[in-house]
Amino acid sequence: MREYRMSPWILLAVGAAWGIGLSAVAVVGLSLWMLSLGAQPPLSVLLYSVPASVGIALVLAWVISVSYPVVVSPEGIRAHDWLDRARFAPWATVESARPVNLGGLAYLRIDLVDGSPLWVPRFLVDQASFDAAILEYAPEANDVRRLVAASA
């Protein structure tokens, strides 16, 4: 059994980009709204919004990378779903797998025989070791193995 964590640096980069973009939209919207009311937007809002967004992204990146490990074993794979549940999927329950990009982050969506998906990040700290573990443990005919082998 091997445990892998998401790269906090990739999470930080994507989170900061999204945070800065969203804070810019919010600051522009707030400024236009205040100007329409005849008020002057406070300079502090404009100056602190970007550093605050980056700081929040840094904290969230660290928390997410520590809290959501991916485990690969000879029996199957364990990851978290979108409802924050850690789910274990035996290799035999994998129906299909496909790469997905969500907001700049690469995932492997694994569809299970019960109809539910399992989302595995493709931006792990030791991605090469994770790929090697998949190739070692997943059965030959498994879609997860096929996709990992094709990306290597």
Side-chain angles (χ1 to χ4, degrees), residues 6 64 67-70 77-89 102 107-112 114-121:
M6 289 181 260
I64 290 169
S67 302
Y68 298 98
V70 177
I77 188 166
R78 181 176 65 88
H80 285 77
D81 64 10
W82 289 113
L83 297 175
D84 195 28
R85 297 176 298 188
R87 298 202 41 222
F88 178 77
L102 296 174
Y107 283 87
L108 188 61
R109 179 187 163 133
I110 301 172
D111 294 310
L112 306 175
D114 68 1
S116 64
L118 188 65
W119 296 82
V120 178

Side-chain angles (χ1 to χ4, degrees), residues 24-51:
V25 169
V27 165
V28 168
L30 176 67
S31 298
L32 291 174
W33 177 69
M34 290 183 76
L35 288 171
S36 73
L37 297 175
Q40 183 68 25
L43 186 58
S44 62
V45 170
L46 303 173
L47 293 177
Y48 296 127
S49 64
V50 170

Side-chain angles (χ1 to χ4, degrees), residues 84-151:
D84 195 28
R85 297 176 298 188
R87 298 202 41 222
F88 178 77
W91 295 119
T93 65
V94 174
E95 188 171 80
S96 64
R98 61 187 163 106
V100 176
N101 187 317
L102 296 174
L105 296 172
Y107 283 87
L108 188 61
R109 179 187 163 133
I110 301 172
D111 294 310
L112 306 175
V113 292
D114 68 1
S116 64
L118 188 65
W119 296 82
V120 178
R122 296 290 291 152
F123 50 95
L124 301 169
V125 171
D126 193 358
Q127 189 66 49
S129 176
F130 172 81
D131 290 349
I134 292 291
L135 295 175
E136 178 182 345
Y137 295 141
E140 290 286 332
N142 192 286
D143 263 7
V144 176
R145 180 188 176 108
R146 181 185 53 79
L147 283 173
V148 168
S151 69

